[in-house]
């Protein structure tokens, strides 16, 4: 597999085309942004942690029957993935109130939600990723009903698998964001990443935040939190 031209440079990753039509190489950067790019910074070794953690979690999901874009880790920062057409939705799954949900509904952060909440945001930087519902998704033809059913049921299943998994390493999975894509034959698979950039992880015993909120809110020890997640999931690998 040969890495070829840069296809896209995002806020956290670069995406390269390869000599294989249906494969891409993603390269994880240490760049960090928050509040739709307004806050910018660097988190040392974040790219390595996110690459390895995301690949590891996708491996666990694959074993439990969730199709993902993961193909092969090349090195610390780069991974071969199946090329997909990204469904322009950020699918947010929430178990405990935090962040924008707490603000919007006036719930203290940490309030247990009596039912898992699924939210959709329209993936559009210019508009600031506005929250939308099923009707908007169909009205804008972002996904059809069959696809959205697959996306929502996979999201709940991913939540069940990951919540149990993180519990075993003493982490409470508060909320997270997923992206899905269509392969060339139209199959919906999980894409993008699952990492401390895209999830909220709280230590089960101390409540300590071990995710990007440390960067967003200037809580200090940002690198340490990313390393701690790496260590709990992958040990000293
Ligand atoms: P952003 O675009 O939000 O700044 P990133 O820096 O993470 O985000 O860029 C990665 C881009 O690659 C995202 O737009 C994401 O939707 C896209 N992407 C992730 N996985 C795949 C894939 N398997 N095929 C095609 N595009 C992908
Ligand atoms: N999230 C993400 N990318 C986004 C927006 C949210 O990965 O563009 C993740 C975020 O890390 C958190 C969850 O989705 O785990 C819910 O985020 P929320 O809506 O509370 O947003 P925020 O508090 O970041 O505004």
């Amino acid at each position: 597999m040969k890495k070829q031209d840069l296809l896209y440079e995002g806020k956290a990753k670069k995406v390269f085309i390869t000599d294989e039509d249906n494969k891409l190489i993603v390269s994880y950067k240490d760049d960090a942004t928050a509040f739709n790019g307004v806050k910018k910074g660097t988190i040392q070794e974040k790219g390595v942690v996110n690459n390895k953690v995301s690949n590891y979690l996708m491996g666990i999901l694959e074993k439990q029957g969730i199709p993902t874009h993961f193909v092969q880790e090349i090195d610390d920062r780069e991974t071969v993935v199946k090329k997909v057409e990204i469904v322009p939705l950020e699918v947010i799954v929430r178990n405990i109130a935090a962040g924008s949900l707490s603000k919007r509904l006036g719930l203290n952060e940490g309030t247990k939600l009596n039912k898992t909440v699924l939210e959709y945001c329209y993936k559009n930087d210019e508009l600031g990723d506005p929250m939308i519902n099923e009707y908007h998704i169909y009205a804008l033809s972002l996904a059809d009903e069959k696809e959205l059913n697959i996306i929502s049921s996979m999201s709940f299943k991913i939540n069940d698998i990951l919540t149990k998994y993180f519990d075993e390493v003493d982490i409470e999975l508060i909320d997270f964001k997923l992206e899905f894509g269509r392969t060339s034959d139209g199959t919906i698979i999980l894409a993008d990443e699952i990492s401390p950039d895209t999830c909220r992880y709280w230590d089960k015993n101390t409540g300590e935040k071990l995710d990007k909120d440390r960067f967003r809110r200037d809580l200090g020890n940002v690198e340490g939190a990313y390393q701690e997640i790496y260590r709990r999931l992958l040990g000293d690998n």
Side-chain angles (χ1 to χ4, degrees):
M1 161 95 37
K2 278 210 191 73
K3 188 159 109 181
Q4 295 181 331
D5 293 348
L6 180 70
L7 175 67
Y8 174 77
E9 176 157 8
K11 297 184 286 291
K13 301 191 283 298
K14 289 180 187 172
V15 182
F16 295 90
I17 56 172
T18 69
D19 54 351
E20 286 187 39
D21 236 16
N22 54 355
K23 304 261 170 61
L24 298 173
I25 291 176
V26 290
S27 181
Y28 286 75
K29 308 191 284 185
D30 288 347
D31 299 354
T33 61
F35 315 120
N36 202 20
V38 172
K39 183 178 168 81
K40 290 194 178 71
T42 302
I43 302 172
Q44 293 298 326
E45 299 298 296
K46 171 170 87 76
V48 177
V49 171
N50 286 2
N51 183 37
K52 299 223 165 197
V53 164
S54 189
N55 292 342
Y56 182 72
L57 295 175
M58 291 215 188
I60 287 168
L61 294 172
E62 285 274 357
K63 277 195 207 121
Q64 308 242 20
I66 304 284
T68 79
H69 73 169
F70 176 74
V71 176
Q72 194 193 356
E73 191 169 291
I74 302 175
D75 61 26
D76 277 0
R77 286 177 185 271
E78 297 199 335
T79 293
V80 180
V81 298
K82 289 178 196 152
K83 179 179 180 173
V84 295
E85 179 194 15
I86 291 285
V87 176
L89 293 175
E90 299 202 333
V91 180
I92 294 175
V93 184
R94 301 179 183 271
N95 298 306
I96 309 269
S100 67
L101 180 81
S102 285
K103 255 194 214 140
R104 194 166 1 102
L105 301 184
L107 295 171
N108 284 331
E109 284 209 317
T111 306
K112 189 177 171 354
L113 300 166
N114 294 327
K115 191 172 161 55
T116 301
V117 169
L118 201 66
E119 291 172 0
Y120 302 110
C121 294
Y122 180 24
K123 201 173 140 58
N124 184 317
D125 280 341
E126 272 170 41
L127 300 176
D129 299 339
M131 187 157 85
I132 56 176
N133 65 28
E134 281 87 343
Y135 293 93
H136 301 107
I137 293 171
Y138 303 143
L140 276 67
S141 297
L142 304 181
D144 65 27
E145 208 167 329
K146 201 169 143 226
E147 290 175 325
L148 202 60
N149 284 336
I150 295 171
I151 287 172
S152 59
S153 63
M154 262 199 231
S155 299
F156 286 120
K157 194 169 168 202
I158 291 167
N159 185 42
D160 288 343
I161 297 166
L162 294 185
T163 297
K164 277 199 199 89
Y165 197 80
F166 277 99
D167 184 63
E168 284 167 21
V169 295
D170 285 342
I171 287 169
E172 206 171 2
L173 182 60
I174 306 301
D175 57 31
F176 55 94
K177 183 267 298 178
L178 300 170
E179 290 182 29
F180 294 87
R182 304 175 184 96
T183 61
S184 52
D185 69 3
T187 308
I188 295 282
I189 64 174
L190 178 66
D192 205 47
E193 65 177 281
I194 309 178
S195 73
D197 269 11
T198 64
C199 304
R200 286 193 170 95
Y201 307 127
W202 294 0
D203 183 279
K204 207 165 78 179
N205 302 308
T206 65
E208 187 186 4
K209 293 180 170 53
L210 296 171
D211 55 63
K212 196 173 164 187
D213 272 347
R214 300 206 75 82
F215 169 78
R216 293 189 190 101
R217 303 177 185 188
D218 296 319
L219 300 176
N221 196 26
V222 184
E223 276 86 5
Y226 279 73
Q227 292 300 328
E228 180 62 16
I229 291 299
Y230 180 101
R231 197 187 61 76
R232 287 204 202 177
L233 295 176
L234 289 119
D236 295 321
N237 284 345

